[in-house]
Amino acid sequence: RETETMELDLTPKLPKQVYGGDGGSYHAWCPEELPMLKEGNIGAAKLALEQQGFAVPRYSDSPKVAYVLQGSGTAGIVLPEKEEKVIAIKKGDSIALPFGVVTWWFNSEETDLVILFLGETHKAHKPGQFTDIYLTGSNGIFTGFSTEFVGRAWDLDENTTLVSSQTGKGIVKLEAGFKMPQPKMEDRDGFVLNCLEAPLDVDIKDGGRVVVLNTKNLPLVGEVGFGADLVQIDGHSMCSPGFSCDSALQVTYIVAGSGRVQVVGADGKRVLETHITAGSLFIVPRFFVVSKIADPEGMSWFSIVTTPDPIFTHLAGRTSVWKALSPEVLQAAFKVDPEVEESFRSKRTSDAIFFPPSN
């Protein structure tokens, strides 16, 4: 199994359009091009809505975290046996979407609304990809029922045009004057965390910043089953080599900027070395060690880690395992003199996780 994982192509990939029309488009990463999706049971997709674009109500076969990459709009969320929540969403918002939730999305603004979805596909129809089931439209589930069943279920005449009127598929464009429900500020509570405004979990001067999405600041994360984070590193800064020590996969989408990444697997073999740019997605296998260095303009990424409250082991910096190991163990392990070990130990005593460029 380990050998199989090491031979997988870890190269970052861009998504491909699945469907679209006047109101917008839906793009997804496919397991055939990014095999770690299937290997790790991960799904990834993007929804882009133009002005008056409406993503019709649907539910999914996978729990997800949504992250608003661009624009602002409205989301409708109905948890099982609960009332509809109508939420104003904007860039930086992260939304936990557990199993069974019904959602719709709408953009009334000129700027396109773009939303990233990352999630697990352990119980999905197809490993490595989401399947959405639409409540209305030309591919809505009720188009498959006979008029007798529809009429009986909804207590309507069998000749009703309710099912056939909406000929759009997944995304439609509404008339300019159409009034959608107004969002309520209180509906955001417990559903949304804005990663650009939330208190920072890590803040390193000239290095980088992290906001972690977990069960403490967004309890619904517990129902989704995995956490997330938004990481921003400054120009030329380095993100410390590290790995998830609770066997989680790291699924990373580059939000902005660019940089270099290296991933090292078992037997000290470098399995990925590449330049990453905004819009690409890559996945780090369990226990593999990853490190990134930003280009001059810096780099930010949004990740899910496949446990609700992930724990990382860092292999450089003040909080690294090297600082915890005794000097004698390091001397023996590295096979170096005490002076070399002492010099090594004396470095990076104040920097943790992110390392600004040396002047």
Side-chain angles (χ1 to χ4, degrees):
R1 189 72 177 176
E2 182 74 39
T3 309
E4 284 177 25
T5 305
M6 285 184 63
E7 290 172 357
L8 286 174
D9 178 11
L10 303 183
T11 310
K13 296 289 193 307
L14 297 170
K16 289 192 169 175
Q17 182 169 319
V18 180
Y19 64 86
D22 282 348
S25 55
Y26 180 84
H27 303 249
W29 281 267
C30 58
E32 291 76 26
E33 290 196 357
L34 192 58
M36 272 305 296
L37 289 171
K38 189 173 183 179
E39 180 78 12
N41 261 311
I42 300 294
K46 274 164 85 168
L47 174 68
L49 293 180
E50 298 167 9
Q51 189 169 24
Q52 295 301 113
F54 174 49
V56 302
R58 80 276 311 272
Y59 61 95
S60 177
D61 63 357
S62 306
K64 306 171 187 173
V65 167
Y67 181 73
V68 182
L69 295 166
Q70 176 187 301
S72 59
T74 309
I77 297 175
V78 183
L79 290 172
E81 299 181 357
K82 296 280 174 43
E83 292 181 354
E84 177 188 54
K85 300 286 185 183
V86 181
I87 298 168
I89 56 172
K90 61 182 179 179
K91 182 179 178 178
D93 278 351
S94 196
I95 309 150
L97 302 172
F99 269 124
V101 67
V102 171
T103 62
W104 56 261
W105 311 84
F106 177 66
N107 179 24
S108 62
E109 305 297 324
E110 286 185 20
T111 304
D112 285 3
L113 172 64
V114 184
I115 304 164
L116 172 74
F117 298 96
L118 300 176
E120 286 191 323
T121 62
H122 283 96
K123 297 180 180 179
H125 286 282
K126 300 171 185 174
Q129 63 189 84
F130 302 137
T131 298
D132 286 343
I133 296 93
Y134 304 95
L135 300 191
T136 68
S138 63
N139 59 342
I141 51 171
F142 281 93
T143 59
F145 283 106
S146 67
T147 53
E148 178 199 354
F149 270 65
V150 172
R152 187 82 179 269
W154 291 348
D155 193 21
L156 292 172
D157 188 282
E158 280 191 29
N159 296 319
T160 180
T161 59
L162 202 59
V163 173
S164 58
S165 290
Q166 178 57 269
T167 56
K169 179 181 174 182
I171 299 169
V172 297
K173 188 164 189 170
L174 302 183
E175 297 288 335
F178 193 89
K179 289 280 188 287
M180 290 293 279
Q182 289 300 303
K184 299 174 186 170
M185 200 61 205
E186 61 268 25
D187 282 357
R188 281 177 64 92
D189 296 343
F191 280 86
V192 182
L193 179 80
N194 189 279
C195 296
L196 300 176
E197 298 171 356
L200 296 169
D201 292 280
V202 177
D203 187 5
I204 309 292
K205 182 175 165 50
D206 299 325
R209 293 151 298 287
V210 182
V211 169
V212 178
L213 195 71
N214 55 28
T215 54
K216 298 175 186 67
N217 54 21
L218 198 62
L220 264 181
V221 163
E223 289 189 43
V224 170
F226 47 86
D229 58 23
L230 178 70
V231 180
Q232 304 173 72
I233 60 174
D234 298 322
H236 300 295
S237 286
M238 179 184 208
C239 182
S240 165
F243 66 92
S244 169
C245 56
D246 46 7
S247 80
L249 290 158
Q250 296 176 64
V251 185
T252 299
Y253 174 85
I254 307 301
V255 173
S258 59
R260 292 176 290 145
V261 62
Q262 291 187 357
V263 177
V264 176
D267 298 326
K269 181 182 177 184
R270 190 183 312 147
V271 291
L272 179 67
E273 178 173 19
T274 191
H275 188 257
I276 43 177
T277 55
S280 56
L281 182 93
F282 73 101
I283 301 171
V284 179
R286 292 177 174 86
F287 301 112
F288 282 32
V289 177
V290 59
S291 183
K292 308 178 192 77
I293 298 177
D295 286 340
E297 75 272 25
M299 180 166 59
S300 61
W301 60 88
F302 185 80
S303 297
I304 63 164
V305 183
T306 56
T307 53
D309 295 294
I311 303 167
F312 287 94
T313 294
H314 291 278
L315 298 175
R318 175 172 51 83
T319 57
S320 75
V321 67
W322 302 122
K323 305 301 183 194
L325 290 169
S326 56
E328 295 81 2
V329 170
L330 292 188
Q331 284 175 44
F334 279 122
K335 196 181 177 184
V336 293
D337 295 331
E339 298 77 27
V340 176
E341 187 282 327
E342 196 174 311
S343 172
F344 172 61
R345 185 179 293 275
S346 69
K347 304 292 185 182
R348 297 274 184 231
T349 54
S350 58
D351 298 325
I353 305 178
F354 304 124
F355 310 138
S358 51
N359 295 324

